[in-house]
Structure formats: structure tokens, C-alpha cells
Amino acid sequence: MMRFHQVYTRFSLRHFSLPFSSLPSLLPLTHHLPRSLSLTRKITSTNFTPVMLTSRFRNLAPVSSYSSSSAVEDASSGASNGVVSSSDFTDYEEDEASLGVEYRVPPPQIKNIVDAPPLPALSFSPYRDKIIFLKRRALPPLVELAKPEEKLAGIRIDGNCNSRSRMSFYTGIGIHQILPDGKLGPEIGVTGFPDGAKINFVSWSPDGQHLSFSIRVNEEDNNSSKFRVWIADVETGEARPLFQSPNVYLNAVFDNYVWVNNSTLLVCTIPLSRGAPPKKPLVPGGPKIQSNEQKNIVQVRTFQDLLKDEYDEVLFDYYATSQLVLVSLDGATKDIGPPAVYTSMDPSPDHKYLLISSIHRPYSFIVPCGRFPKKVELWSADGKLIRELCDLPLAENIPIAFNSVRKGMRFINWRADKPSTLYWVETQDGGDAKVEISPRDIIYTQPAEPLEGEQPVIFHKLDLRYGGISWCDDSLALVYESWYKTRRIRTWVVSPASEDVTPRILFDRSSEDVYSDPGSPMLRRTKAGTYVIANIKKESDEGRYLILNGVGATPEGNVPFLDLFDINTGKKERIWESEKEKYYETVVALMSDQEEGDLNLDQLKILISKESKTENTQYYLVSWPEKNLVQITNFPHPYPQLASLQKEMIRYQRKDGVQLTATLYLPPGYNPSTDGPLPCLVWSYPGEFKSKDAAGQVRGSPNEFPGIGPTSALLWLARKFAILSGPTIPIIGEGDEEANDSYVEQLVASAEAAVEEVIRRGVAHPKKIAVGGHSYGAFMTANLLAHAPHLFCCGIARSGAYNRTLTPFGFQNEDRTLWEATNTYVEMSPFMSANKIKKPILLVHGEEDNNSGTLTMQSDRFFNALKGHGALCRLVILPHESHGYSARESIMHVLWETDRWLHKFCVSNTSDVGEDHDTGSVKENDSKGTTDAESKVVATGGGGSKEVSDLEYDGFHSLPRSSLRIC
């Protein structure tokens, strides 16, 4: 079945899950195996939003003044020439005392891009004969984020909906038939549900005849705000509630529902016997006590939203406990199993069994629920317990070293090529990556109901850490393993039913070496709804062929490909390759797998995406043998006023010889020879590497369409900035070297090379180059202002961590503790160099940041340290926002703050670049360090997302004017 839990920025396929992030063509939206294919718009930080305005650089309208509380209308007059000047910006010289009393909006050139309606998400039916368009709204209002939420066991729960909080939703579903010529038939809208219903968890039935989804309506009513499961007939679009009783509600805290067969669903429901939420005792029964009298070594990262006391434990049980119910399409129901905190439900491919996972007490106050005691059981399809597979104890002591794992059985799953065979992995090193042992992991298989005395069979032994399996049949499976410290990644060929056939290594390479990536096997759907490796046959050829779908990284950029690969001989034949002069094309899915058996190469059909620098992504069907293209989507350009923006992938060199790359964006109509240099915004995020060669490899394509999200730096193209996007900032530790031990030196060297390159090209004014980043990019920004003040005129740091001593048990890709690498922690922390920061820095942070390591306190304390040394700084705390920003008010205000900061300290900057902003004294380039901001931006948007909502509400003006905290 298909789940929609996240929306991404570029359209990508929700595909089967494969083990490595180095296989980017196969991107799972959830941990579940799909029953269909879905496409969503993938974005870096927030919902994707298209737009309309003007186009040519010389006609981008200046803004005469800002309205302080409402949107500004489009300016009517254009700039006289292409050179940006202070007159192109709003007059920001208003009374400073008024700057912190209300939410603001950016100028219309930016606002209109952000406010435009988003494109729909797409999903193909299991048999590829239909496609649904899932319609979405733009940014949610802040009032939706302001709703009460319970922070329990590392997750946030909306008590009214009994789901994860801040969920977005779809507003409508349109069904299209895919006609024989590949074109789309007329839309059939799904009808029958109440007006204003919010749609989540859309999935196809295995036979593609029905859609299941949940709806919630009036959130003022505690009952109707809860989720109810609905069913729609895909031929007519008519929808109805699945349950006949109006009192059955979905419990969506963990799993929600799954199709067991074509006519039956297994649903997590709120127990009918559940009463009102427990009330917190006015007087506690005793003190809060944690003890380690057994002297256990327990090292954990800075997890947030953990359980705090016994009341939190009771509240967690209240919201997370479900009653599992089998319900057929005719409304007949059957409760199965006792109420429990069920976390996943997975039917066997033959629909005879259910794999049921749950968590139970004792809970923990120092780790999130993913490490709570976990029980995995095998049930019959009608809910009878067959056997317990494992009951794993509380896992508080997983070592912090990368590739450390939980003890006991993990990755328990069904073989995709068998009716009901289980497989799982068990570690042999106690879960500790620092223990040297061979083998490190063992994969086992076993029938669902083994004969008496029948033991699990060892399927394969691994010396690295298990990374996944692609099943094909009894003669072929591909097993993946990897090791982070060395970046080694290996693919094994295994014959599941042939013990006499020795497993062999197919690929053995570095995960960092993108040029050597052979691609990943394309999977096909089986009649059971699982996905297995597609076997391909050629006319009059007895070879055993697969299709490898590759990114095609080259020194000139990515050129995706399909290779026909003989698994026995290793010979390859390129059967498709992206056009590379103007367009960037990627293979999204196999579309000719409706029939069982091997697929004929001459009858192959695939779905591809196609885009260019100026043409947004569209989708096409490609059919063999002629490889004819049929376009199936025709989305409008999301921001036509920037349709003629200029994009170039540039290469340059760091002083130590490391090759670097970046994407340089220039405004429409800009000509450096006549318009002169522009103010420039450098936006980046550092990365760690084990080799200089790998760090210097080109990633991405010069022909990719530039996706612009609501908080993207590319928005300032509309304000006539040059944007240097994603300049590589490699932090390299070759051999036994630790990359972070020379973090500052490498960071500064990379930034110097980037700045020198844009100045050399004549597109950036040397005195008007700003730097910015989010999370670890914010950490980078603060470090650069501390140690490279000669490069940048100001900085913008969003949701960063600045004091590494507050994350003593590791951060980002650092797995040494503070006590093992004290100097590194201190030198990397910009907090420790606050006295060196003299350039203006804008700090932005969500007040409810739940990301590990980037507590809001990080920005609070960093700001106080800066202010204590007289630095020119500003801190904006966004009420109700998390690590990534969601609400329209918050996003618009962040854009306004950023635009104002860039105007005052970049566009209007006249000081010498190397001067102290206050005294004018020249500062030396300090090469020592400071850094970080823990993990990456939370993906947002989309029906069922656990982080952000697209909820619509007209209560914008009900927000208190002083709710935004600005220092």
C-alpha cells in the first residue's frame, strides 16, 4: 500500500527501500514497501511553491516601502538599470523600537513566489493504468502550529487528532486514466466527503480498484478533528466512510492502517473504552530520580522531547495505545489482539500472516521511543498469535560510534520473492562498532511456521554492517553492506536456494566515489504487491540480465543512465542515457511490469522526468524499441518572473589542491560586463570526506531545474543578488586523520576559494558578499565570521548549534566525546570565539526546535555571548516553530529579516571588507575554529508529514502582536 508521509521539493519516486543513500534514484518516502508508485515535489526545507510576476532583470520592481502588518502590493515601476542599489530596497531606517512588535512580510518580489499555490503530488496505481493528483495548499498559518501538543518519548503528539502534531494534508484527489497512447484521460474527482476535509494517508488497494485515506474536518470539535478512514471507488470517485460506526477513529501516532488483501484493511484504532486524558497530579508523589548505581556506561546524544516523569509515561500510553481492527469493504469488523502500543503492521506477501511490532515498558527518560523495549510477533491473518519472534530489552546503551546498532534481531521482514519467509539480521559485535570481529552481522531466514525443531538458516555473513537486500528469486539476491569510517560499500551476489554456490562480491567501492557508482537494480512489482529485481530477456540471448539505474556522475555533471547488465559476466550495454546538452532526465519507475515473468527488452516502458535550467520538471513515458516519448504532465512554470534566471555549475580549486564546485545563479537579464558586480549571498553546508579525490568530484547537473522553496537563498535572485549555492565545503580526514581536527582551517580555505572565484568572475562585489546557512550551515556561518572576517560583510545563521560542549557525546559526523577530543570541541565552537566576531550576524531559531543538538538555547546563549562583547547581532526566536520553519507568518518574517539584514549590511555596505565594523581596525585572518548545527533541515509539507502542516485557517490577525521574540 502507498503511504504519503512527506512532501519533497523536486518530484521524486516513492520507491522500494534500498540500503544506501548512494543510490539516489530509489528514494523511499516511508519505511514500508510500496504497493504503488508516488511522486512528490522534493524540497530542501519547506513546501514547494510556484509563482507569477515579471521576468526580465531590468524590470524587477523596486520596493518603495513596507507595510508592517500586511502584504505589500506589487511595485509598479522598474529599476533604471541592472545594477542593484539601495534604492531598490525598502526603506529599513524605521524606528528601531518598532522592529520587534509584529510579524512582517518581505517585498512582493519574494512574497509572491512564496505565496503561489503548490503543485500536486502524484501517485500511480499498482498496475500503472491510473494516476492520482493529490492537491495541496500552500503555507499553513501560525495558529495551526500554536495548537497544544504533547512532547513525549521523542515525538510530538496532537491530542485532539491523536496523531503526530503539525501534520499537513491534501485538499482533494483527482483520478486520471492513463490512455493507451500514454496521454491522461479526464479527471475524476473523489467526492462524498465533507467540504473542507483534510486528507491524509492515501493508499491504493493491492488490485488498484480502491483508494483508502483518512479525513478530519472541524478541528474545533474534539471528535470530528480525529481521523476517520474512508474508501473511494477509483472508477466513479465516490467515497464513503470505511467503518459503519461513527465512533471509530484512527490512532495515527505510529502506524495507521494497511491493506491485508484486496478487500480487507488492518487499522490502528483508538480503543473504544478509552476515557478522558489523564490529569497531571497537582502534587507529585515524589522526586524525579535517575540512577546508575550499576556503573553502566551510557552515552547518548542530546535527544529532545523525552519522557520526564511517571505522568509522561501514563500520557504516552494513553495516546499511543491502539486496538487493531480488521475491517472489510462491506463494513464488517473484528478486533484482534489486545490493546497495545503497536508501531508497525506488515502482512506477508501471501496474505496469510501478519508481522506485528509493539513497544512496552519499562520506558526511558534518556532515549526516545525507538529504543524502548520492542516485541515482534507473528500472527495469523485473522489475528491469532502464532509465535513471538523476539522481545528486545530497553536499549539505552547503544554506543555513539557510527555503525553501532541495537543487540538482538533487527530488520525483521518478509522475503519479497516468497509467500511467507522471514529474514532478519543479528549483530555479532554486541552492537559496538569499535569491536573488531568477523563476521560482524549474520543474516538469517526461516519459514513463518517452521517445523518442530527447525532452526533458522544462515543466509549470509557480513564483515561490514548490513545495509539491505534486493530479492529476485531462488537463484539471485543482492546483499549490501557498508562501513562509515572507511566509506566502504560492497554488494554481494547470493543464490538463496543454492548452498553449493559461493556468494561473490559484485561491487566493492567507496561510497564517496560517485564516479564509480554502477547504479542500482530496477525493481518490478509482483502479483503479491512486493517489489523484486526485474529480470530482463533479450531476443535470442540466453544471458541473465538486470537493468542498473545510475546517477551517472561525471566531471561535467550527472548524466543518468540505464545499463543492461549481465549478472554472470559483468558485461554492460547502455540502453538509455539522459540528454546532456540542454536537459536533465532521470528514470523514475519501471512501467511495463504488469505481467509475471521476465520482461522483454523490446517491450520495456519506463517513466522519466525531464527538466532544464529554465523548464520545470515534466513527466514522460518512454517505450522500447523506438524509445518514443509521450508527455503525461504539463505543469506551469512555478515562478515565471525568474524563468530566465542564469545558472552555471562552476569549478575552482582550494589552496591545498582540492577541487571544489558550486552552482552560481545570476538574475534574469544580468550582464556582468555592462551591469557590474552584484551583492552576493553564499549559502552552503559543510560535508565530511575521507579522500581529497572524492571531495573534488562533481555532484549534481548543470541542467537541473532550480527548485526554490519558501526559505531558499535563491529567492534573492528576485532582489538582484548573485547566489552562490552549495559551494562545496569539504572537511577531509584521510586515513586515520580525524576530519574535524582541522575543521576551521579547511572551512576557511574552502570559503576563501569560493569568494575569490566569484570576485574573479566579476559577478560579486568584494565588499558585498554575505554568507548564510541552516543548522550545520549556521554553525559554518558563525565560524566563518569568527575566523574569516576578511571574506564576508555579514552573516545569516538559522537554527544552529554554536557550543559543542552542550553536545558532549557527539554531533553531526563526530563520534568522539568531548573528553576524547576536548580541543576539537572547543576550537570548533563559535561560542568560544564570540569575542572575535565583529561582522553583523543575524541569528534565527525556532522556539520549539526538536532536532538533536540544536536546542533553542544554543542561539540564546550565543547571542548573549556576542552581545557581551559588543558584536553587531540580532536574534529572532520564532514562536511554535521547530528546526525547519513552517507557518506562513514565520517564513515571511524570516524572509523580511533576511532582506533587511542584507540591505543594511550587504547592499549598503561601504566599509572595507577586512575592517572591524565598529572601529575600522583591520583584523587578521584567524585560522582557528568554531562549528556546528547538528542535523539537516527537516523535510516539510505533504499529506501525513510529521513535521509541518498545510492547514488553512483565517485567524492570522488573532495572533498577539508581541508574540515574536526579537533581541
Side-chain angles (χ1 to χ4, degrees):
M1 97 178 213
M2 172 53 62
R3 320 262 171 123
F4 298 89
H5 288 302
Q6 293 181 351
V7 167
Y8 295 79
T9 330
R10 296 182 39 75
F11 269 108
S12 62
L13 169 68
R14 178 207 169 180
H15 219 292
F16 41 89
S17 57
L18 275 181
F20 302 112
S21 59
S22 60
L23 309 179
S25 60
L26 310 174
L27 297 175
L29 280 183
T30 71
H31 58 282
H32 299 281
L33 288 174
R35 299 296 188 267
S36 60
L37 302 175
S38 72
L39 301 160
T40 51
R41 198 69 162 156
K42 179 181 176 185
I43 208 159
T44 52
S45 60
T46 46
N47 291 352
F48 176 86
T49 49
V51 72
M52 358 178 81
L53 220 141
T54 56
S55 60
R56 296 296 293 169
F57 178 82
R58 298 177 187 276
N59 293 327
L60 288 175
V63 185
S64 58
S65 62
Y66 271 175
S67 167
S68 61
S69 61
S70 62
V72 182
E73 298 300 320
D74 293 351
S76 60
S77 62
S80 59
N81 57 56
V83 181
V84 67
S85 67
S86 298
S87 62
D88 291 322
F89 280 75
T90 299
D91 179 10
Y92 285 104
E93 303 305 323
E94 60 269 86
D95 180 6
E96 291 292 323
S98 70
L99 289 180
V101 299
E102 59 190 7
Y103 287 91
R104 305 296 187 92
V105 294
Q109 297 100 315
I110 292 175
K111 170 190 168 294
N112 291 349
I113 294 176
V114 176
D115 264 344
L119 298 178
L122 309 181
S123 174
F124 287 87
S125 67
Y127 292 99
R128 315 291 192 268
D129 58 338
K130 295 180 179 65
I131 183 173
I132 57 174
F133 283 58
L134 298 163
K135 300 163 187 181
R136 303 186 288 125
R137 288 180 181 159
L139 301 175
L142 185 60
V143 69
E144 296 295 346
L145 269 67
K147 292 180 179 178
E149 60 183 358
E150 303 293 345
K151 301 174 183 178
L152 301 168
I155 61 176
R156 295 181 176 182
I157 298 173
D158 183 330
N160 285 335
C161 298
N162 216 103
S163 68
R164 300 295 177 94
S165 61
R166 307 176 182 226
M167 288 178 58
S168 62
F169 60 90
Y170 300 112
T171 60
I173 305 174
I175 307 169
H176 294 266
Q177 185 82 24
I178 300 178
L179 303 177
D181 62 0
K183 300 292 181 64
L184 298 185
E187 180 175 283
I188 299 174
V190 174
T191 61
F193 50 78
D195 291 340
K198 300 169 182 178
I199 301 169
N200 292 91
F201 309 125
V202 183
S203 66
W204 293 90
S205 62
D207 60 6
Q209 297 301 305
H210 294 88
L211 288 172
S212 58
F213 54 94
S214 68
I215 69 165
R216 50 199 158 111
V217 191
N218 178 14
E219 305 224 358
E220 299 300 322
D221 182 328
N222 189 46
N223 284 329
S224 59
S225 67
K226 290 183 171 60
F227 292 87
R228 297 192 66 196
V229 183
W230 281 58
I231 295 292
D233 185 304
V234 299
E235 297 298 330
T236 65
E238 296 177 359
R240 58 177 175 80
L242 175 62
F243 289 93
Q244 295 178 356
S245 169
N247 299 318
V248 179
Y249 299 106
L250 188 67
N251 188 333
V253 170
F254 289 107
D255 212 346
N256 40 76
Y257 56 81
V258 62
W259 287 89
V260 176
N261 53 46
N262 292 331
S263 60
T264 307
L265 292 91
L266 178 60
V267 184
C268 286
T269 67
I270 298 174
L272 292 174
S273 60
R274 191 181 79 173
K279 293 184 178 181
K280 188 170 186 175
L282 184 63
V283 178
K288 299 176 182 179
I289 298 173
Q290 297 187 55
S291 175
N292 190 34
E293 296 178 38
Q294 296 78 23
K295 297 183 180 181
N296 295 323
I297 297 176
V298 178
Q299 299 178 350
V300 295
R301 293 208 175 190
T302 49
F303 299 118
Q304 300 196 54
D305 299 338
L306 301 176
L307 298 176
K308 299 179 292 297
D309 51 32
E310 291 183 6
Y311 171 72
D312 275 0
E313 292 181 309
V314 172
L315 200 61
F316 177 74
D317 279 336
Y318 176 83
Y319 286 116
T321 297
S322 297
Q323 173 63 60
L324 298 185
V325 178
L326 282 170
V327 55
S328 59
L329 294 182
D330 62 9
T333 64
K334 177 186 178 182
D335 290 3
I336 62 171
V341 183
Y342 296 107
T343 57
S344 69
M345 312 168 293
D346 192 8
S348 61
D350 62 3
H351 312 302
K352 293 181 179 179
Y353 302 97
L354 299 171
L355 196 59
I356 304 295
S357 298
S358 60
I359 56 179
H360 60 82
R361 297 188 182 222
Y363 297 150
S364 170
F365 298 152
I366 64 172
V367 294
C369 57
R371 297 192 182 186
F372 288 178
K374 177 182 179 180
K375 182 183 293 185
V376 182
E377 297 175 326
L378 184 68
W379 295 6
S380 64
D382 59 358
K384 296 178 181 177
L385 174 65
I386 296 175
R387 62 184 176 122
E388 180 184 288
L389 297 176
C390 67
D391 191 351
L392 304 177
L394 179 65
E396 290 184 330
N397 59 346
I398 298 176
I400 62 174
F402 289 107
N403 287 123
S404 294
V405 296
R406 190 173 194 161
K407 298 177 184 178
M409 298 171 68
R410 20 185 260 281
F411 296 107
I412 306 172
N413 216 323
W414 298 107
R415 273 186 60 169
D417 62 326
K418 289 291 184 181
S420 53
T421 298
L422 293 163
Y423 72 96
W424 67 90
V425 183
E426 293 186 29
T427 180
Q428 306 301 300
D429 57 14
D432 189 349
K434 292 184 177 181
V435 173
E436 296 295 335
I437 193 172
S438 177
R440 190 173 292 277
D441 273 340
I442 296 180
I443 307 169
Y444 295 91
T445 65
Q446 190 177 48
E449 293 192 76
L451 300 176
E452 185 175 353
E454 183 178 1
Q455 297 299 310
V457 174
I458 294 178
F459 177 72
H460 191 53
K461 298 179 180 181
L462 300 169
D463 285 337
L464 308 181
R465 190 63 80 199
Y466 169 80
I469 301 179
S470 294
W471 298 98
C472 184
D473 52 34
D474 275 339
S475 64
L476 177 63
L478 298 183
V479 180
Y480 310 95
E481 62 175 341
S482 65
W483 196 248
Y484 176 77
K485 276 292 186 182
T486 60
R487 309 300 198 270
R488 192 177 186 186
I489 181 172
R490 294 197 297 198
T491 303
W492 290 84
V493 176
V494 182
S495 297
S498 304
E499 294 183 7
D500 56 334
V501 178
T502 304
R504 61 185 174 88
I505 293 177
L506 184 63
F507 304 121
D508 189 348
R509 48 182 291 271
S510 168
S511 60
E512 291 183 339
D513 182 10
V514 293
Y515 293 169
S516 69
D517 187 350
S520 53
M522 294 202 73
L523 304 187
R524 58 155 304 152
R525 187 180 186 275
T526 68
K527 185 177 292 186
T530 62
Y531 281 80
V532 299
I533 296 173
N535 279 316
I536 307 297
K537 62 182 178 182
K538 293 176 64 177
E539 292 296 333
S540 64
D541 191 326
E542 298 301 321
R544 174 115 193 227
Y545 294 101
L546 318 177
I547 294 179
L548 296 180
N549 182 4
V551 176
T554 74
E556 288 71 44
N558 292 351
V559 183
F561 64 83
L562 291 181
D563 278 348
L564 190 66
F565 181 68
D566 190 321
I567 192 70
N568 294 320
T569 67
K571 292 182 179 179
K572 299 179 183 179
E573 175 190 348
R574 187 137 302 180
I575 60 174
W576 178 89
E577 187 174 73
S578 170
E579 197 275 338
K580 54 190 174 185
E581 295 304 318
K582 179 182 178 181
Y583 290 100
Y584 176 70
E585 301 168 316
T586 61
V587 176
V588 178
L590 190 62
M591 300 292 285
S592 53
D593 58 353
Q594 293 88 346
E595 302 296 329
E596 291 292 306
D598 294 350
L599 305 181
N600 193 317
L601 179 61
D602 288 337
Q603 297 175 0
L604 194 67
K605 182 184 290 186
I606 60 173
L607 177 72
I608 70 166
S609 65
K610 185 174 183 178
E611 61 198 87
S612 73
K613 297 176 185 179
T614 57
E615 299 174 39
N616 54 306
T617 304
Q618 306 294 350
Y619 292 88
Y620 296 77
L621 291 174
V622 182
S623 302
W624 267 251
E626 292 84 7
K627 301 179 186 176
N628 296 325
L629 269 70
V630 177
Q631 185 172 345
I632 62 172
T633 62
N634 189 24
F635 297 118
H637 196 291
Y639 20 88
Q641 67 273 47
L642 293 178
S644 57
L645 62 79
Q646 303 171 57
K647 175 188 176 184
E648 180 183 1
M649 184 176 286
I650 63 175
R651 300 194 69 181
Y652 49 98
Q653 186 171 291
R654 204 164 73 178
K655 61 185 179 183
D656 59 359
V658 176
Q659 292 293 319
L660 304 176
T661 60
T663 304
L664 176 63
Y665 292 92
L666 299 171
Y670 168 72
N671 186 333
S673 62
T674 58
D675 296 326
L678 298 172
C680 178
L681 176 58
V682 177
W683 199 269
S684 193
Y685 193 100
E688 291 77 16
F689 291 87
K690 289 302 293 181
S691 77
K692 292 181 178 179
D693 288 342
Q697 292 183 352
V698 175
R699 292 161 173 82
S701 168
N703 296 326
E704 287 183 87
F705 182 72
I708 302 179
T711 58
S712 170
L714 299 188
L715 290 166
W716 274 268
L717 289 169
R719 299 290 274 163
K720 306 175 189 175
F721 268 69
I723 307 296
L724 192 66
S725 177
T728 48
I729 310 285
I731 310 300
I732 305 165
E734 294 189 307
D736 294 331
E737 295 177 355
E738 293 287 350
N740 284 338
D741 287 349
S742 58
Y743 173 87
V744 173
E745 292 85 349
Q746 296 194 59
L747 176 69
V748 171
S750 298
E752 284 178 335
V755 168
E756 288 169 2
E757 181 64 16
V758 292
I759 293 174
R760 184 191 67 79
R761 288 171 170 263
V763 297
H765 193 295
K767 295 182 180 180
K768 300 182 180 183
I769 301 177
V771 63
H774 186 103
S775 196
Y776 206 53
F779 179 59
M780 170 205 74
T781 297
N783 268 310
L784 286 172
L785 293 187
H787 304 294
H790 59 296
L791 297 178
F792 303 105
C793 59
C794 65
I796 298 138
R798 301 176 184 167
S799 298
Y802 308 102
N803 184 351
R804 294 277 54 120
T805 68
L806 297 178
T807 55
F809 291 109
F811 58 90
Q812 199 70 5
N813 290 317
E814 178 60 67
D815 62 359
R816 295 172 295 174
T817 71
L818 169 64
W819 299 273
E820 293 170 328
T822 305
N823 290 340
T824 297
Y825 271 67
V826 171
E827 291 179 0
M828 286 184 72
S829 298
F831 179 86
M832 303 302 181
S833 298
N835 61 316
K836 299 177 183 178
I837 297 179
K838 305 301 180 183
K839 294 300 177 65
I841 182 169
L842 172 65
L843 303 174
V844 181
H845 217 119
E847 192 170 37
E848 303 295 331
D849 194 328
N850 64 347
N851 184 56
S852 176
T854 55
L855 295 81
T856 308
M857 173 182 65
Q858 289 271 7
S859 286
D860 269 324
R861 293 188 176 180
F862 187 42
F863 174 75
N864 288 332
L866 292 167
K867 189 169 63 171
H869 289 90
L872 198 166
C873 53
R874 182 174 172 87
L875 171 62
V876 178
I877 300 294
L878 302 170
H880 308 296
E881 293 290 353
S882 186
H883 191 58
Y885 318 138
S886 308
R888 181 182 184 275
E889 294 91 329
S890 302
I891 288 173
M892 289 297 182
H893 189 87
V894 168
L895 298 177
W896 180 87
E897 292 278 359
T898 304
D899 196 63
R900 171 183 175 271
W901 206 252
L902 292 174
H903 164 66
K904 292 191 69 172
F905 304 115
C906 186
V907 174
S908 301
N909 182 47
T910 58
S911 64
D912 290 339
V913 177
E915 289 181 354
D916 179 284
H917 197 83
D918 296 323
T919 66
S921 59
V922 178
K923 294 293 179 181
E924 294 182 0
N925 174 25
D926 190 305
S927 62
K928 294 186 179 179
T930 31
T931 17
D932 180 306
E934 204 67 35
S935 72
K936 298 184 180 179
V937 179
V938 177
T940 61
S945 164
K946 298 170 183 175
E947 185 57 38
V948 173
S949 65
D950 287 329
L951 310 180
E952 184 179 63
Y953 187 80
D954 62 358
F956 174 88
H957 296 294
S958 67
L959 294 165
R961 288 168 59 87
S962 60
S963 60
L964 191 71
R965 177 175 149 217
I966 301 176
C967 304

